[in-house]
């Protein structure tokens, strides 16, 4: 009977935009499972800060300057990674932004920027890494989706459109490249304590919890925000041989939000 294989020893993992936040935690987990870690950020200062953060936790990460929306830059970065580190076995499309603006007040430029980073970039980066994965006999792509891959809410029209599209891009990559032993899945974090959600958790002037903070607690069966540590195990699972027959799936790591109508006020 084959043993379950969670090891990533000998694998190269590129987690995009992983200087901090969810991507950094996923990188820690994949490193702990044996993978060589590659990350990127948009300028040298931020890459240096990321390298320092990885060094502080004894991870010999490889950092590259790359704006994931720039296809030429992405292609050049993939070539550098393949030359300097190795063929990318595991891609985590983590880089992302959000703009919280009522739709009728949002400029088309702002809408396009969110779509560009959160949906076009995962297409660009996946397209760049798949050919070498095929040559190598397979690979893993993990797209960081969201509650907004399933649900809408006020002010996040661009983000929800992007993350809904990312869920379907995940399914399409799975459909188109599964025959090459490439598994493409999503992780859908719930509400996680990172810089991206800090504005939703700020204490009020009177020291009380932010109304949105209280709202999320009432909508989450676990009655807490997630932490980046909650994403580590699911990431190793989807990056490893343990998930070789899981394809096109979005694994929601949300404490039960999507299953729950919400606590009665
Ligand atoms: P975060 O703290 O804002 O970090 C986002 C990362 O993406 C940063 O390192 C950022 O780098 C990078 N990035 C943004 N645009 C980039 C670009 N054009 N090129 C390269 N890197 C870029 O966000 P997070 O909370 O860790 O979220 C990470 C992912 O999880 C995102 O896709 C987000 O949508 C998703 N997510 C977050 C939550 C949550 O509750 N936090 C829940 C569900 C899904 P810079 O510092 O240079 O901007
Ligand atoms: C928001 C939050 C969410 C989270 C996450 C939920 O404004 O509603 O930022 O979008 O970031 O995507 O899964």
């Amino acid at each position: 009977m084959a043993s379950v294989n969670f090891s990533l020893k000998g694998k190269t993992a590129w987690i995009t935009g992983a200087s901090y936040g969810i991507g950094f935690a996923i990188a820690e987990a994949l490193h702990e499972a044996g993978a060589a870690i590659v990350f990127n950020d948009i300028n040298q200062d931020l890459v240096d800060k990321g390298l320092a953060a990885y060094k502080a936790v004894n991870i010999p990460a490889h950092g590259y300057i790359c704006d994931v929306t720039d296809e030429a830059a992405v292609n050049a970065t993939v070539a550098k990674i393949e030359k300097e580190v190795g063929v990318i076995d595991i891609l985590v499309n983590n880089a992302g932004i959000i703009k919280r603006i009522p739709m009728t007040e949002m400029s088309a430029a702002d809408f396009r920027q969110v779509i560009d980073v959160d949906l076009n970039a995962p297409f660009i980066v996946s397209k760049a890494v798949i050919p070498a994965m095929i040559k190598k006999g397979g690979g893993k792509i993990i797209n960081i989706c969201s509650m907004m891959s399933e649900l809408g809410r006020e002010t996040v029209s661009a983000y929800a459109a992007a993350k809904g599209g990312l869920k379907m891009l995940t399914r399409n990559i799975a459909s188109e490249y599964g025959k090459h032993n490439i598994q493409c899945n999503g992780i859908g974090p719930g509400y996680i304590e990172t810089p991206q959600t800090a504005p939703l958790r700020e204490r009020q002037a009177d020291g009380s919890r932010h109304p949105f903070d209280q709202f999320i607690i009432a909508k989450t069966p676990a009655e807490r925000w997630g932490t980046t540590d909650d994403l580590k195990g699911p990431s190793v699972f989807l990056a490893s041989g343990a998930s070789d027959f899981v394809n096109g799936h979005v694994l929601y790591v949300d404490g039960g939000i999507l299953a729950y109508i919400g606590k009665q006020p």
Side-chain angles (χ1 to χ4, degrees):
M1 179 184 77
S3 62
V4 179
N5 180 18
F6 287 100
S7 172
L8 303 180
K9 191 169 173 53
K11 304 289 186 184
T12 297
W14 181 14
I15 305 94
T16 66
S19 299
Y20 51 86
I22 285 173
F24 189 89
I26 291 174
E28 287 182 300
L30 302 190
H31 168 74
E32 187 178 345
I37 300 302
V38 176
F39 77 101
N40 66 291
D41 212 316
I42 57 176
N43 62 47
Q44 190 62 58
D45 180 48
L46 291 167
V47 168
D48 290 345
K49 285 178 180 173
L51 287 170
Y54 282 109
K55 188 176 180 182
V57 293
N58 300 315
I59 295 177
H62 304 264
Y64 293 87
I65 301 169
C66 179
D67 176 343
V68 291
T69 65
D70 178 343
E71 187 165 26
V74 167
N75 290 337
T77 300
V78 169
K80 275 186 194 172
I81 295 168
E82 291 179 352
K83 182 180 174 188
E84 298 170 0
V85 187
V87 168
I88 296 157
D89 303 287
I90 301 158
L91 170 65
V92 181
N93 282 309
N94 165 78
I97 62 171
I98 191 168
K99 291 181 184 291
R100 300 182 182 98
I101 306 166
M103 196 184 94
T104 53
E105 299 168 28
M106 180 181 271
S107 69
D110 275 340
F111 189 93
R112 286 194 188 96
Q113 188 187 1
V114 174
I115 297 292
D116 212 16
V117 179
D118 295 5
L119 181 57
N120 293 344
F123 160 76
I124 288 168
V125 184
S126 300
K127 176 185 166 191
V129 306
I130 283 171
M133 286 183 172
I134 292 173
K135 282 181 191 158
K136 193 169 182 180
K140 299 282 188 178
I141 298 175
I142 301 169
N143 293 322
I144 306 302
C145 297
S146 161
M147 294 287 94
M148 274 64 217
S149 297
E150 302 294 342
L151 303 169
R153 84 171 184 87
E154 297 81 2
T155 76
V156 295
S157 58
Y159 185 83
K163 293 297 188 180
L166 185 57
K167 174 177 74 172
M168 287 314 301
L169 178 63
T170 300
R171 290 180 177 170
N172 214 79
I173 293 170
S175 305
E176 198 164 354
Y177 296 100
K179 59 179 172 285
H180 297 293
N181 189 34
I182 292 172
Q183 291 83 48
C184 182
N185 293 286
I187 287 178
Y191 281 81
I192 311 296
E193 293 174 343
T194 73
Q196 191 248 46
T197 56
L200 306 175
R201 292 178 281 109
E202 280 170 358
R203 285 280 171 181
Q204 305 300 281
D206 64 3
S208 63
R209 299 180 81 142
H210 191 294
F212 194 89
D213 181 354
Q214 299 177 61
F215 168 68
I216 288 302
I217 297 300
K219 291 288 282 183
T220 310
E223 295 189 346
R224 68 172 175 90
W225 284 70
T227 69
T228 56
D229 284 347
D230 290 317
L231 298 164
K232 292 184 171 181
S235 301
V236 172
F237 168 63
L238 289 178
S240 73
S243 61
D244 280 353
F245 205 55
V246 178
N247 205 13
H249 182 75
V250 178
L251 177 54
Y252 287 99
V253 185
D254 67 352
I257 293 175
L258 287 178
Y260 185 39
I261 196 170
K263 191 179 297 302
Q264 183 180 346

